[in-house]
Structure formats: structure tokens, C-alpha cells
Amino acid sequence: MLELLDYAFFRNALLGIAILSIAGGILGSYIVTRRLVSISGGITHACFGGLGLGYFLGWPPIAMATVFAVGSALGVQLLGSRGRVREDSAIAVVWAAGMAIGVTFVFLTPGAVPELNAFLFGNILTITAADLWLLAAFTAALILIVGCFFRRIQACAFDPDFMSVIGVRAWAWNGLMTLFVAVGIVLMIRCVGMMLLISMLSLPPLTAELFTRRLRSMIPVAVGVSAAGSLGGLLLATAVNVPASALIVALQVAIYALAALIRKLR
């Protein structure tokens, strides 16, 4: 295994795992505590609409996916905060519309779309130095915002109505975190793919939630579980020659099952 460190792509994958684990642990813990795990699925599938439109127009697919992700996330947040539509209903609409738009424009795009499988299923071994810089900058901004305004973000997430009554714009803080979730999903798609991204964002914090209900302590546990599952899945994938993304999620499922068993025995 040590000889793999001689290859730049494997070193990039290891660094990507470390950065993704931190960002995914923070965002996933926020999503799970707000009971909005489905929003990650809605935004992920909305990204597919941006990818399809980008391929059809000849524009950068990731840029278009970002536009769709941010637009759908803020749309869900706006509709939910004003009480016009329940958030789960808005997520369902975004989910279906994104997939429909994506499939339509991919079908209309002349020729094949060779990079589509990479966006759908992902391959962390293809992560580049430019991807690492983007992920690092995003994660640094996320840590800075959450670290400086943790108590306010936590309060707005758990009781937005009370925070609004005392004069705090809860919708703005929740909207900011939803925006981070949307951008984070777009950046993580390249590494783990659309199909497995939901598991990456939900399984580590769900495992952490088995042992703690406090957001402050849930985040580091989720980061640790994500890092352990991702590193173990990557090393196992190199040994058995199967896609790393699938084994990463499978190992995280196993970690969750083991943690649930330990909690039950205790």
C-alpha cells in the first residue's frame, strides 16, 4: 500500500478525503439535526438538470450545476420559510424537475456525454489539484462561518420561530447554511457522484447521533466516522479493484450498523 503514495492521484485522493470529511461532517450534522436529509437528495438531483443544460448549451457543466443547486436550495428555503409550501413538498418538486430537465437535455445533446458517469457515480481517484484548492477554500469558509456564529446558527436551526420573535432573521441564517449545503453538494459530486452523495452526507452524522444529541459534539464524531469510512473504503477498493465510492458508502453503512449494535448492547 505504501507504494501508492508515490502516485500524485492517490495523494490527491487522500487529501480530498480529509477535506471532504470535514465539510461533509459539518454540513451533514446540520442537515440531520434540522431533519432535512431529503434536501440533499433534492439539491443533488436538481444539479442533474444543470449538468444536462450545460452539456446541451456547451457551457461548463459544473457552473450550470452550481446555478441549479443554489437556485433550488434558496427556492426551497424561501417557500418553506413563508409557509406557502411544506419543505418536503418543495423538495419533491425540485427533485423531479431537476431529473426531468437533466434527462431531456442529455438526450438532446448531440453525440455521447462521456463525463456523465463520473458525475453520476464519481471517482475520488480522479480528483485534481484544482479540485483540492476549491474544496479547501470552501471548507475554510464553512469552518469560519460556523465557528464564529455557531450559537446563532444552532438556535435558528432548532427554533427559527422564537429567533424571529426576538428580532433575529432566522430565515437569513438558515438560508446561508442551505447555500453552503448547495455549493458543498456540487463540489462533492465529482468525488463521490450523485448517486452516493446522500449517503456521504447522512450516514456519518446519523452514526454520531446514536451517541450524542448535541450539535457541537456531533460534528467532530461525524467527521471522524466519515474519514474512517472513506479512507477504509479507498484502501479496500485498491485491494479488490472495485469503485471506491461504492465501498466507501458500504463501509459507512457497516460502521453505522456496528454503532447501532454497540448502543443497543450498552
Side-chain angles (χ1 to χ4, degrees), residues 1-19:
M1 291 292 181
L2 292 179
E3 61 270 14
L4 291 174
L5 295 176
D6 296 331
Y7 298 99
F9 72 88
F10 192 79
R11 295 195 299 269
N12 288 343
L14 292 178
L15 289 173
I17 282 175
I19 299 172

Side-chain angles (χ1 to χ4, degrees), residues 206-224:
L206 286 174
T207 303
E209 196 179 32
L210 292 172
F211 302 101
T212 178
R213 297 286 181 174
R214 299 183 61 187
L215 181 60
R216 186 182 298 274
S217 55
M218 184 186 299
I219 290 176
V221 176
V223 170

Side-chain angles (χ1 to χ4, degrees), residues 48 51-52 55 106 113-122 194:
F48 189 67
L51 293 175
Y55 281 121
V106 166
V113 184
E115 297 181 0
L116 188 59
N117 283 337
F119 290 118
L120 289 174
F121 304 106
M194 293 174 58

Side-chain angles (χ1 to χ4, degrees), residues 9-59:
F9 72 88
F10 192 79
R11 295 195 299 269
N12 288 343
L14 292 178
L15 289 173
I17 282 175
I19 299 172
L20 284 170
S21 297
I22 296 173
I26 296 173
L27 296 176
S29 298
Y30 175 80
I31 292 171
V32 168
T33 52
R34 283 200 65 194
R35 299 297 185 262
L36 286 177
V37 175
S38 59
I39 198 173
S40 60
I43 296 173
T44 301
H45 287 78
C47 289
F48 189 67
L51 293 175
L53 184 59
Y55 281 121
F56 178 75
L57 298 176
W59 296 351

